[in-house]
Amino acid sequence: MDYLDQLEAEAIAILREVAGQFEKPALLFSGGKDSITLVKLAEKAFRPGKFPFPLVHIDTGHNFPETIEFRDKLVAQLGEKLIVGYVQDSIDQGKVIEQTGKNASRNALQTVTLLDTILEGKFDACIGGARRDEEKARAKERIFSVRDEFGQWDPKRQRPELWNIYNGKIHKGENVRVFPISNWTELDVWNYIKRENIELPSVYFAHERDVIMRNGQWMAASEYLNMDEEDIIIRKKVRFRTVGDMTCTAAVESDKDQIDDIILEISQSKISERGARMDDKVSEAAMEDRKKGGYF
Amino acid sequence: MDILKFLTAGSVDDGKSTLIGRMLYDTESILQDQLEAIQNSSRKNDDGSIDLAILTDGLKAEREQGITIDVAYKYFQTEKRKFIIADTPGHIQYTRNMVTGASNADLAIILIDARKGVIEQTIRHSYLVSLLALEHVVVCVNKMDMVDYSEEVFEKIHADYHSLAVKLNLHEVTFIPVSALKGDNIVNNSLNMPWYKGKSLLDHLETVPVREMDALLPARFPVQWVIRPQTEELHDYRGYAGRVASGAFKVGDTIKVLPSGMRSKIAKIETFDGEHAIAEEGKSITMHLEDEIDISRGDMISEAERQPIVSNLIEADICWMDTRELDTSATYFIQHNSKLTRCKIQEILYKVNINTLEKVNADAFGLNDIGRVEIKTADELAFDPYETNKRNGGAIIIDSRTNVTVGALMLRAAL
Ligand SMILES: Nc1nc2c(ncn2[C@@H]2O[C@H](COP(=O)(O)OP(=O)(O)OP(=O)(O)O)[C@@H](O)[C@H]2O)c(=O)[nH]1
Ligand SMILES: [Mg+2]
């Protein structure tokens, strides 16, 4: 079996373990390439049957419009159920307070919406597309990662995880985050997308866009980004290497609109994928802190 | 391109994380923003140079204390091979995390501090590597820079470890003198140790043979999930979904479902991408049988010829991973592939004294103890002895009160 086949077979087996071990799982779908890959893997795991879980999207309201459009089309094609949790609802309910200032982002707020959505749906397992090569705290995480009643990850108390035996036993109120593509690298995902001919939102490919320079990075100009006179809008050919909120995902200058060229560009890049994520740069342990608080 | 999975092991502070950092650094596998982040980190070596260990020591607590607490997985690739690294902690308190990292590895790098030689934790980790039956061991005698790159020191440790390896039945052991801090013999051959004529560590890792899939092992297929669409067109569709644990299944093969013992034939093997004539170890597939028999998650489909052991009285080696002691009167869960059932660990046959490797009688069995036990399970398990078939011989013990994984089992025989 070649390398991608091995990764695929492992991910399918993990998804089937989720189906077998949990009462009410959910697949967290962000509209990014990793969760789109997860959906493909779920098809491979469960067709011709239905998915034993709905897709759950936490909508910050600050998404790229292309991602939402893509999401709705994909869900319609799949014939599966989609549940959306809105950060705007959490704001309206007074559960979170919108950040202000130039670097305002809803990224941190979505944890609250996520935890509420998990509670409301009574989900006992949430499948996510995080990979260990993304970030140093993620490099430490188990494939089945237990969260307490408050959604918290405790890196010091992770369960041993041996061979391909995953322990999904939990107490009421706890849930498990499951990461089937833990062992995939960014390039593995791209190579798989190419091999399987998986469709992606257009923002992943080079396109003309209005951008402004922020902290040394190109950010998409949008109504969600707080801009002032100092910000100069420039039109550039860019693409996105990772897709989160418009306010925290930076673009890379690129004229590559074909997957082969993108794969080549990434393999030659000197910057990591999450180098384009403002949300990771807040502090040395930004991701660890967010994960402890219940983040994806 | 093939892939080698390896872990670093050995006692606390022997230089495991530094070694991984050095290997990534010297192969230019560290990206610019990650390098900048390390340069900007407050943790530095005494001489002010960057501390390569924090490439894997990614948790706040790890950076504060300067130790590894949990396994970090790193992925890198050279022209020859892809690597998945598990950098594991040396601290005895976190032995369970070393076991986690070792369970999926093909090769173990065991580090020994040249100034300290073989110590208890070196033996414990080596014992675990031997129990888990990793194929290859590389002993890196590290911190050679602190012993004047002395050949004598290296030879002494070489001899000491060699006799340990014989006792532990470790076959493939390679010895390399290194300095993880300075980079000697990690990626490049050392100029400081002209007396060492062997390969650098990376060179060895790139060329050591990796395990090929063994198509001759008996065919085993634990059922994870039954696909039953129950739609009008697919009214009678009933597919058994799972991953082939070992061997190969072909359409037309006679199989046996265990533990029930019912026989049938394989009617169809399929994946999302179509039908297949054969499915080998490691493949995730959906299997269809000619007869309608009652099969559910946790059952094992085996080739009819060479069957696994089916029993509810099992002898196994165990590594205990919880601060609460093993309780021979308690009911635990045991998980073996997709099968989950209750069990009792009825008797402790012996415990191993790690320093002398003697088997001793034990009334109490606590954190990090290794030994042999007798287990009685509620439902029968269909297993193979771990030493003949890793993929169908490992199991875990789960504490039914805390739900935590407390024991790793290498199943050996029926009683
Ligand atoms: N002089 C010298 N110091 C080294 C060498 N390798 C590691 N060290 C130092 O030894 C200390 C411990 O190194 P680590 O890499 O963190 O050790 P470790 O084995 O990963 O420790 P744990 O993961 O906590 O078990 C650090 O201060 C390193 O700089 C070496 O080859 N020579
Ligand atoms: Mg370490």
Side-chain angles (χ1 to χ4, degrees):
Chain A
M1 271 208 292
D2 94 347
Y3 186 56
L4 282 179
D5 288 335
Q6 286 184 42
L7 290 175
E8 179 190 66
E10 176 182 70
I12 291 171
I14 293 165
L15 286 167
R16 288 168 170 173
E17 277 306 291
V18 175
Q21 291 195 34
F22 297 93
E23 309 254 309
K24 263 205 110 185
L27 188 151
L28 301 177
F29 182 82
S30 72
K33 65 176 191 320
D34 298 312
S35 58
I36 293 167
T37 300
L38 277 185
V39 166
K40 178 52 126 194
L41 291 163
E43 285 188 272
K44 295 210 178 198
F46 303 112
R47 292 293 185 240
K50 283 221 153 241
F51 291 0
F53 39 70
L55 309 189
V56 169
H57 182 221
I58 303 304
D59 186 341
T60 60
H62 288 177
N63 302 284
F64 289 89
E66 293 90 336
T67 323
I68 299 296
E69 214 175 282
F70 183 91
R71 175 195 80 188
D72 293 339
K73 202 179 83 185
L74 182 69
V75 168
Q77 273 170 8
L78 287 169
E80 299 289 347
K81 187 172 171 199
L82 172 73
I83 295 170
V84 183
Y86 294 95
V87 171
Q88 189 62 52
D89 289 350
S90 305
I91 295 171
D92 295 345
Q93 292 159 8
K95 288 186 169 161
V96 293
I97 295 168
E98 184 111 60
Q99 294 179 353
T100 53
K102 235 179 147 164
N103 293 321
S105 159
R106 286 183 169 183
N107 189 280
L109 311 188
Q110 62 183 336
T111 298
V112 172
T113 315
L114 170 67
L115 297 181
D116 278 353
T117 310
I118 292 173
L119 199 65
E120 206 168 300
K122 299 195 169 66
F123 299 124
D124 51 2
C126 297
I127 304 160
R131 308 187 322 267
R132 286 169 175 159
D133 86 319
E134 276 181 87
E135 204 280 332
K136 58 187 182 301
R138 287 193 163 161
K140 296 265 163 185
E141 195 151 13
R142 299 283 187 262
I143 290 182
F144 272 36
S145 178
V146 180
R147 302 303 167 98
D148 68 12
E149 219 174 314
F150 305 96
Q152 299 182 103
W153 178 55
D154 184 352
K156 277 194 161 176
R157 294 189 46 203
Q158 297 202 87
R159 294 175 178 175
E161 188 163 84
L162 282 100
W163 304 292
N164 45 7
I165 303 176
Y166 306 107
N167 171 5
K169 283 222 153 278
I170 47 170
H171 293 294
K172 245 202 155 39
E174 295 175 336
N175 66 78
V176 176
R177 302 287 173 87
V178 179
F179 304 109
I181 59 168
S182 284
N183 287 322
W184 299 42
T185 64
E186 183 190 16
L187 268 176
D188 295 331
V189 172
W190 278 104
N191 281 316
Y192 189 72
I193 287 168
K194 178 185 162 192
R195 185 181 94 172
E196 300 291 320
N197 231 326
I198 298 172
E199 208 186 319
L200 290 184
S202 55
V203 290
Y204 280 106
F205 302 92
H207 56 284
E208 297 265 340
R209 183 179 285 271
D210 287 343
V211 292
I212 61 167
M213 178 62 89
R214 275 280 171 86
N215 308 321
Q217 308 240 35
W218 293 113
M219 306 297 293
S222 74
E223 54 183 306
Y224 312 127
L225 198 66
N226 293 338
M227 294 189 275
D228 58 27
E229 317 78 58
E230 281 173 29
D231 293 314
I232 304 158
I233 297 182
I234 307 174
R235 201 154 178 85
K236 274 203 171 295
K237 198 141 201 199
V238 297
R239 63 179 180 81
F240 292 87
R241 195 163 158 191
T242 159
V243 172
D245 262 6
M246 292 191 84
T247 55
C248 69
T249 324
V252 288
E253 270 192 89
S254 168
D255 58 359
K256 305 293 184 270
D257 54 7
Q258 297 299 318
I259 190 152
D260 285 304
D261 298 329
I262 290 175
I263 289 175
L264 191 68
E265 200 169 80
I266 291 170
S267 61
Q268 290 168 347
S269 170
K270 298 253 179 289
I271 305 282
S272 78
E273 176 182 11
R274 291 199 81 92
R277 290 294 284 253
M278 310 306 289
D279 42 334
D280 286 354
K281 298 205 163 163
V282 183
S283 74
E284 207 173 306
M287 174 64 86
E288 180 180 343
D289 292 343
R290 277 181 297 155
K291 283 184 91 69
K292 283 178 180 164
Y295 189 71
F296 296 98
Chain B
M1 185 172 286
D2 61 12
I3 157 177
L4 181 77
K5 298 183 186 169
F6 68 88
L7 83 149
T8 52
S11 189
V12 66
D13 273 354
D14 281 354
K16 298 175 287 297
S17 303
T18 308
L19 178 128
I20 295 308
R22 170 57 68 184
M23 192 179 301
L24 296 171
Y25 187 81
D26 285 357
T27 50
E28 292 178 22
S29 309
I30 305 170
L31 295 164
Q32 199 183 319
D33 54 313
Q34 291 166 339
L35 197 59
E36 277 164 20
I38 300 169
Q39 281 159 347
N40 294 335
S41 166
S42 49
R43 216 181 103 183
K44 291 274 155 50
N45 289 326
D46 297 339
D47 63 359
S49 59
I50 55 168
D51 179 357
L52 290 168
I54 62 173
L55 265 173
T56 55
D57 287 343
L59 299 174
K60 248 197 286 191
E62 294 179 325
R63 292 174 174 212
E64 279 161 18
Q65 298 170 48
I67 61 163
T68 305
I69 291 172
D70 210 334
V71 205
Y73 294 92
K74 281 274 163 193
Y75 305 80
F76 92 113
Q77 149 170 24
T78 63
E79 271 165 29
K80 303 213 176 91
R81 205 166 248 181
K82 267 185 106 119
F83 298 97
I84 298 184
I85 307 172
D87 179 34
T88 77
H91 200 292
I92 183 162
Q93 189 185 342
Y94 303 115
T95 304
R96 61 177 190 274
N97 298 333
M98 177 272 177
V99 173
T100 295
S103 68
N104 283 315
D106 312 308
L107 178 147
I109 299 179
I110 296 189
L111 275 87
I112 299 177
D113 186 327
R115 298 167 304 170
K116 297 183 187 155
V118 176
I119 56 178
E120 179 177 323
Q121 192 66 346
T122 323
I123 307 175
R124 178 173 285 107
H125 279 185
S126 301
Y127 198 100
L128 288 164
V129 164
S130 136
L131 269 186
L132 289 162
L134 271 63
E135 251 129 278
H136 309 279
V137 174
V138 181
V139 174
C140 282
V141 179
N142 189 31
K143 308 199 183 182
M144 289 300 291
D145 56 295
M146 297 186 95
V147 295
D148 293 328
Y149 297 103
S150 153
E151 182 174 10
E152 215 174 299
V153 171
F154 175 71
E155 288 304 337
K156 164 85 172 59
I157 294 172
H158 186 316
D160 287 350
Y161 195 93
H162 180 76
S163 50
L164 175 68
V166 171
K167 283 188 223 155
L168 293 181
N169 247 323
L170 295 170
H171 305 289
E172 286 275 332
V173 188
T174 304
F175 294 85
I176 307 178
V178 303
S179 167
L181 189 70
K182 312 277 180 197
D184 298 86
N185 288 332
I186 304 294
V187 170
N188 304 306
N189 273 90
S190 169
L191 300 174
N192 295 313
M193 291 176 274
W195 46 265
Y196 172 73
K197 303 282 184 258
K199 290 177 174 171
S200 72
L201 176 61
L202 181 68
D203 199 2
H204 179 72
L205 295 175
E206 282 182 327
T207 48
V208 64
V210 286
R211 176 179 168 268
E212 300 278 320
M213 190 223 26
D214 189 350
L216 296 178
L217 278 178
R220 306 281 183 256
F221 182 73
V223 176
Q224 290 183 279
W225 179 250
V226 183
I227 298 179
R228 294 212 57 189
Q230 291 176 309
T231 55
E232 225 151 272
E233 323 83 270
L234 295 167
H235 191 74
D236 295 325
Y237 186 104
R238 184 195 282 261
Y240 304 107
R243 192 174 186 195
V244 180
S246 65
F249 290 93
K250 291 190 299 300
V251 173
D253 280 358
T254 303
I255 57 89
K256 212 166 177 184
V257 181
L258 298 165
S260 74
M262 307 275 271
R263 277 169 180 270
S264 184
K265 276 190 175 162
I266 299 177
K268 189 162 80 174
I269 294 171
E270 64 175 347
T271 64
F272 185 73
D273 301 297
E275 289 189 26
H276 308 268
I278 182 167
E280 294 167 317
E281 177 187 324
K283 278 238 154 45
S284 281
I285 57 159
T286 303
M287 193 184 280
H288 297 258
L289 301 180
E290 285 184 359
D291 309 278
E292 275 211 12
I293 36 184
D294 176 21
I295 301 177
S296 51
R297 174 178 166 81
D299 287 338
M300 158 82 68
I301 294 177
S302 156
E303 60 168 78
E305 288 286 303
R306 297 170 296 172
Q307 291 174 32
I309 300 168
V310 180
S311 174
N312 67 347
L313 274 179
I314 300 164
E315 191 173 320
D317 283 319
I318 189 165
C319 167
W320 196 252
M321 303 185 288
D322 199 42
T323 44
R324 256 198 237 217
E325 284 183 359
L326 187 162
D327 180 351
T328 46
S329 66
T331 301
Y332 294 97
F333 287 109
I334 183 170
Q335 194 174 339
H336 168 250
N337 281 320
S338 56
K339 177 76 187 178
L340 182 76
T341 182
R342 288 177 192 275
C343 76
K344 279 204 162 126
I345 306 171
Q346 308 196 115
E347 205 182 327
I348 303 167
L349 298 173
Y350 60 79
K351 176 156 102 178
V352 176
N353 176 326
I354 286 300
N355 281 309
T356 61
L357 298 179
E358 278 166 347
K359 297 167 181 169
V360 294
N361 283 335
D363 302 323
F365 209 86
L367 183 67
N368 302 322
D369 278 340
I370 302 168
R372 187 163 285 203
V373 292
E374 256 180 47
I375 296 170
K376 183 177 193 175
T377 57
D379 298 344
E380 288 176 317
L381 300 187
F383 69 96
D384 291 286
Y386 186 83
E387 66 275 18
T388 64
N389 191 344
K390 261 181 157 178
R391 288 283 159 235
N392 196 34
I396 59 169
I397 297 281
I398 300 168
D399 188 317
S400 53
R401 297 157 295 188
T402 61
N403 290 329
V404 170
T405 305
V406 292
L409 294 173
M410 276 64 53
L411 309 178
R412 299 297 181 193
L415 281 168

